[in-house]
Amino acid sequence: MTSNSKAAKKSRAKSTSPSIGQGGETQQHPTDASDPTAILTDNHGHPISDNQNSLRSGTRGPTLIEDFILREKIFHFDHERIPERIVHARGSGAHGVFECTKAIPALTKASIFQKVGDTCPVFARFSTVAGGAGSVDTPRDVRGFAVKFYTQTGNWDLVGNNIPVFFIQDAMKFPDLVHSVKMESDRGYPQAASAHDTFWDFVSLMPETMHMIMWAMSDRGIPRSLRMIEGFGVHTFRFVNDAGDGQYVKFHWKPVLGIQSTTWDEAVKIAGADPDFHRRDLFEAIDSGDFPAWDLGVQIFDEVWAAKQAYDVLDATKLIPENEIPVDIIGRMTLNRNVDNFFAETEQAAFLPSNIIPGIDFTNDPLLQGRLFSYLDTQKSRLGTTNFHQIPINAPQCPFQNFQRDGMMQTHLPKGRANYEPNSLSDVGEDGGPRACPEHGFTSFRANDERNDPSQKLRVRSELFADHYSQARLFYRSQTANEQAHIASAIVFELSKVSLEHVRSRILSRLRNIDEQLAERIADGLAMDLPEKAPAARDPIDMEITDALSIQKQASPKSASDQLLGRKVGILFSDGSDKESIDRIKSAVESAGGTAFLVAPKIGKIKVKGGTLQADGQLAGSPSVIFDAIASILMPDAVEKLLKDSAAVQWFADAYAHCKTIAYCEGTKKLLAKANVEYDSGVVAIADFPRCGIARYWDREPKVRDLA
Ligand code: HDE
């Protein structure tokens, strides 16, 4: 038992008293000596009498090496860090449950898809890719979306991203890709940013990256919340049913709250205002019972259909358009419990794409095949032992037993002599241990890929892998005009940070294969001449526009109150503000499933009309970038003061520039004027708020931003 026991908590709650002599002025909690679980011990169980002073020879003498308590404490502390993940180092995790909402036994024998209503515990971890563990949450980057299903037939890890395709086609290129995007090796910067020479140099030489580049430069790269991202398994996997028949499958996660992103200017400012923006958002939502949920969908197709496509379904730089094969929803994941300890759970979570269960199988996607090696290998390096599967967050929640033995940090205590198989120990009454089970054990899909000739050993890619531009074009052309402008502006921004002119030029030459207009507007944004079009290994084809690729097009119209679900509204007030109005807005936002956050120039008690109010955040520390919409209830006197406070002016200017709803009262009008806020359908009188709902007013954008 650790000091985290109930008894220890109780004893910590007792009143404190200074203990002179033991800890000088240190505040000491009294110990309940009758309760052994309340007494501080070292790691070997020895009770400790003094946790403030090391053992020294005389009051002014040197510290003694025999102080095993000090040495153990420092020794353990010195080794608290483990290697961070080489990619996806920055992440946030939570526990939850998966529930089957549509049984699909004809497609797969996977235990979790057999019966509607069946549930299974899950652990999900979301991450950025490029930055270190201590980097900010909102850089432009891909987001990892990894889910561990603790099923009754073992763990299934669906280790995906919020973008359905990947930069490269073959695992051989992964170390190069990652080296290029990480901080440059001589200077050690930039951190968590793709906007630099080496990344764009690499991608400019690897046209297969162009499709994913379109996604990463779109608003998908700057999500508003981890609760509002889609997830994708990326690779084509295989479902296998009881009869051993297989179908191809692509996995999708659709967020119940809808997909939402920030604007680039907003993402940059959030990084300063709250580097933990996404982590805090996820934690607070779950903590307050506002559980984020995603529907799990599948696209199912067979070899015959796959063979007819203009792209190869084994190529991870390609997606299957949803208007070709619709996404069928088969379950829902709800995250309903925060971790108790970030290190023990989120940091030690070890995801393995090789963790699949009977009913699910791999395909020959060369990227997936490489991942099957990498993750197991990396866990040994991060967690230090082949026994990492015994750490509670990684351990299966079904019985697991075999003849693997020993190794560093072994925590299991196998009994008896049977550590080999076959054995006949059961013949003499001893436990012979477990045996393989042909009936229920994992079997690989029986058929080989019909289009493959396994008699050849080759270092080549299949022919259709050479089409690098058709789907990049499909993605770009499926966006709204506003989204296209965001993509163009993002590429201009990134390339502006690239000092190598030939690299910028090479990117432009590639973009011409995607869309001539896109290339032109980026060349214009960089004040560069458009170079010759890069030769394409295969000429791109035009594919049918797909609305599901656009965030704005697929955002279903929502009622005003649904727009508030899971969103956060900042309410600015000050001395003399009307408490009744504040209370009205607060409760209306909360009853629609949103969060109301009170902001004031000072954090403590403020005298308002009708009583006193305490703010949740101080104005300078709660800029409007951390809210989805803002409202202000201010008296003219308070406004006069705030006119001289740039944080107040910026509060409105930013909300306006980020195309958010602004609800104002009469008194605020002067502030709006100073912030250059122009009245449009998103700038509403306080009396109409939040009845009017909240949205992003993209029509406003050309007035506030010179987009490429
Ligand atoms: Fe990963 N990736 N990856 N990756 N990846 C890791 O595994 C790797 C790829 C993804 O929350 C590492 O445990 C190779 C695609 C996520 O813990 C490492 C290749 C996709 C996470 C690794 C890929 C991903 C990782 C680093 C190319 C989307 C975080 C630490 C063959 C489908 C999981 C670790 C978490 C993490 C290798 C490509 C997603 C080094 C070699 C494609 C979400 O093993």
Side-chain angles (χ1 to χ4, degrees):
M1 176 103 39
T2 67
S3 64
N4 203 17
S5 67
K6 272 192 192 153
K9 278 187 192 152
K10 225 164 65 191
S11 112
R12 278 201 297 275
K14 285 182 183 167
S15 66
T16 58
S17 60
S19 153
I20 314 293
Q22 288 290 296
E25 291 301 313
T26 312
Q27 293 274 307
Q28 288 275 42
H29 295 266
T31 314
D32 179 357
S34 66
D35 177 0
T37 68
I39 296 172
L40 185 74
T41 70
D42 69 6
N43 279 340
H44 299 270
H46 310 121
I48 293 173
S49 64
D50 180 346
N51 192 30
Q52 316 304 325
N53 300 295
S54 47
L55 184 68
R56 55 188 73 110
S57 153
T59 46
R60 311 189 64 240
T63 302
L64 297 177
I65 203 157
E66 76 168 62
D67 187 352
F68 64 94
I69 294 171
L70 171 74
R71 278 192 292 115
E72 182 203 78
K73 190 172 177 179
I74 299 288
F75 157 75
H76 199 274
F77 169 78
D78 287 347
H79 302 277
E80 273 179 8
R81 290 284 80 83
I82 59 171
E84 65 176 36
R85 291 166 175 83
I86 165 74
V87 278
H88 297 266
R90 169 86 187 166
S92 305
H95 296 271
V97 65
F98 173 78
E99 181 176 353
C100 174
T101 55
K102 180 174 177 184
I104 47 167
L107 289 173
T108 173
K109 60 182 174 188
S111 53
I112 54 173
F113 301 131
Q114 298 308 301
K115 214 168 116 221
V116 171
D118 270 3
T119 61
C120 149
V122 296
F123 179 74
R125 182 176 180 272
F126 307 99
S127 44
T128 55
V129 179
S135 58
V136 299
D137 275 346
T138 54
R140 176 175 297 283
D141 199 355
V142 181
R143 298 302 185 282
F145 193 127
V147 181
K148 194 181 278 292
F149 298 74
Y150 302 93
T151 85
Q152 279 313 300
T153 44
N155 289 351
W156 174 38
D157 294 356
L158 185 56
V159 195
N161 280 340
N162 74 328
I163 290 179
V165 289
F166 201 63
F167 288 112
I168 48 167
Q169 298 174 325
D170 191 305
M172 188 69 118
K173 297 313 298 167
F174 191 67
D176 299 297
L177 166 73
V178 174
H179 288 169
S180 80
V181 74
K182 287 254 174 192
M183 36 191 209
E184 297 189 6
S185 51
D186 54 352
R187 56 212 72 184
Y189 63 81
Q191 176 64 262
S194 54
H196 60 109
D197 284 359
T198 55
F199 176 70
W200 285 95
D201 185 24
F202 177 78
V203 301
S204 74
L205 293 163
M206 297 279 297
E208 72 202 54
T209 59
M210 285 297 125
H211 185 195
M212 176 116 167
I213 283 289
M214 289 293 112
W215 282 82
M217 295 301 122
S218 79
D219 295 345
R220 307 264 179 166
I222 40 174
R224 147 71 179 91
S225 162
L226 298 170
R227 299 176 292 136
M228 299 168 202
I229 58 174
E230 280 189 302
F232 302 91
V234 177
H235 311 282
T236 298
F237 289 88
R238 176 102 60 181
F239 266 159
V240 186
N241 66 14
D242 254 333
D245 298 327
Q247 299 271 345
Y248 284 131
V249 54
K250 288 262 189 194
F251 294 105
H252 295 242
W253 290 108
K254 304 246 179 208
V256 170
L257 287 174
I259 314 167
Q260 197 182 313
S261 291
T262 55
T263 64
W264 173 240
D265 181 68
E266 188 184 2
V268 169
K269 288 175 175 162
I270 293 171
D274 185 1
D276 308 302
F277 187 64
H278 285 157
R279 184 174 289 179
R280 188 189 309 277
D281 170 271
L282 183 68
F283 188 92
E284 287 182 351
I286 295 174
D287 202 42
S288 64
D290 183 6
F291 302 142
W294 288 260
D295 286 326
L296 179 68
V298 287
Q299 285 177 297
I300 307 286
F301 51 99
D302 60 18
E303 184 61 51
V304 177
W305 184 88
K308 284 194 226 137
Q309 303 314 305
Y311 51 90
D312 198 317
V313 301
L314 300 184
D315 173 358
T317 67
K318 308 294 193 301
L319 51 79
I320 313 278
E322 288 185 38
N323 37 4
E324 296 277 340
I325 306 273
V327 174
D328 195 14
I329 302 299
I330 56 169
R332 176 169 284 195
M333 169 174 78
T334 307
L335 298 181
N336 55 18
R337 183 162 63 87
N338 278 317
V339 294
D340 288 318
N341 184 275
F342 183 86
F343 179 84
E345 301 177 87
T346 311
E347 194 57 16
Q348 293 198 114
F351 292 90
L352 305 169
S354 50
N355 262 349
I356 49 169
I357 55 174
I360 302 176
D361 207 347
F362 315 119
T363 59
N364 295 337
D365 172 343
L367 198 68
L368 174 60
Q369 294 282 323
R371 294 179 75 201
L372 300 181
F373 163 70
S374 176
Y375 291 65
L376 183 63
D377 185 52
T378 211
Q379 306 315 340
K380 167 70 179 64
S381 151
R382 288 193 61 235
L383 300 166
T385 165
T386 51
N387 290 318
F388 70 87
H389 64 283
Q390 295 178 15
I391 298 172
I393 194 70
N394 298 323
Q397 293 185 19
C398 60
F400 63 105
Q401 50 282 317
N402 53 45
F403 299 100
Q404 290 165 32
R405 290 290 184 270
D406 310 341
M408 272 172 70
M409 305 296 290
Q410 177 59 254
T411 62
H412 287 178
L413 215 159
K415 302 217 170 88
R417 295 192 285 173
N419 59 359
Y420 60 96
E421 192 272 341
N423 69 60
S424 59
L425 296 171
S426 57
D427 294 356
V428 290
E430 292 184 34
D431 182 358
R435 292 291 188 275
C437 170
E439 198 188 336
H440 298 297
F442 181 85
T443 45
S444 295
F445 180 60
R446 59 170 179 241
N448 272 324
D449 186 334
E450 290 163 18
R451 287 188 278 159
N452 187 43
D453 173 5
S455 67
Q456 310 243 322
K457 267 193 209 167
L458 308 160
R459 288 189 187 273
V460 292
R461 292 185 199 180
S462 170
E463 203 185 321
L464 288 177
F465 278 47
D467 176 359
H468 303 315
Y469 298 111
S470 300
Q471 291 210 353
R473 176 182 292 176
L474 166 70
F475 179 76
Y476 180 70
R477 295 198 179 157
S478 296
Q479 307 300 305
T480 63
N482 178 257
E483 288 172 324
Q484 289 183 341
H486 288 176
I487 294 173
S489 302
I491 300 178
V492 168
F493 171 87
E494 298 259 324
L495 292 183
S496 309
K497 300 266 181 183
V498 171
S499 66
L500 306 172
E501 198 179 333
H502 71 279
V503 169
R504 279 188 253 138
S505 186
R506 195 156 51 218
I507 293 288
L508 287 172
S509 74
R510 301 251 184 247
L511 292 172
R512 292 190 64 177
N513 284 305
I514 299 174
D515 187 280
E516 284 289 0
Q517 268 189 347
L518 172 67
E520 276 164 26
R521 64 206 284 189
I522 292 172
D524 183 51
L526 294 166
M528 282 176 71
D529 294 331
L530 211 48
E532 290 278 296
K533 190 194 268 195
R538 278 181 86 93
D539 282 338
I541 54 164
D542 288 332
M543 296 175 71
E544 194 189 326
I545 300 304
T546 305
D547 288 354
L549 299 177
S550 149
I551 300 177
Q552 291 178 13
K553 283 192 203 167
Q554 69 169 303
S556 49
K558 284 188 187 148
S559 67
S561 74
D562 276 358
Q563 291 169 9
L564 282 156
L565 199 66
R567 272 46 178 199
K568 199 168 182 176
V569 176
I571 306 171
L572 180 62
F573 74 102
S574 188
D575 300 312
S577 294
D578 181 29
K579 184 166 182 301
E580 210 180 301
S581 306
I582 297 170
D583 288 346
R584 176 188 68 79
I585 294 179
K586 195 167 149 53
S587 67
V589 168
E590 285 168 357
S591 61
T595 309
F597 190 93
L598 298 187
V599 182
K602 293 178 185 168
I603 184 91
K605 277 194 201 120
I606 295 182
K607 275 196 189 146
V608 289
K609 188 176 155 212
T612 58
L613 260 185
Q614 207 148 339
D616 299 310
Q618 194 256 342
L619 179 57
S622 314
S624 61
V625 291
I626 63 174
F627 305 117
D628 294 289
I630 60 165
S632 66
I633 298 172
L634 295 166
M635 292 305 285
D637 283 0
V639 169
E640 285 307 320
K641 267 195 189 167
L642 290 175
L643 285 169
K644 292 180 215 115
D645 182 355
S646 66
V649 179
Q650 202 60 39
W651 213 70
F652 293 97
D654 272 345
Y656 184 69
H658 301 144
C659 307
K660 293 174 182 172
T661 304
I662 301 176
Y664 66 94
C665 63
E666 271 310 297
T668 317
K669 279 185 163 174
K670 272 190 173 176
L671 262 171
L672 296 188
K674 187 150 185 196
N676 287 327
V677 172
E678 288 175 34
Y679 293 86
D680 62 21
S681 51
V683 182
V684 297
I686 196 81
D688 296 330
F689 189 79
R691 234 188 0 241
C692 59
I694 60 167
R696 295 279 178 139
Y697 297 88
W698 298 120
D699 308 352
R700 193 189 288 163
E701 209 169 20
K703 285 197 223 155
V704 290
R705 195 161 296 120
D706 187 19
L707 290 167

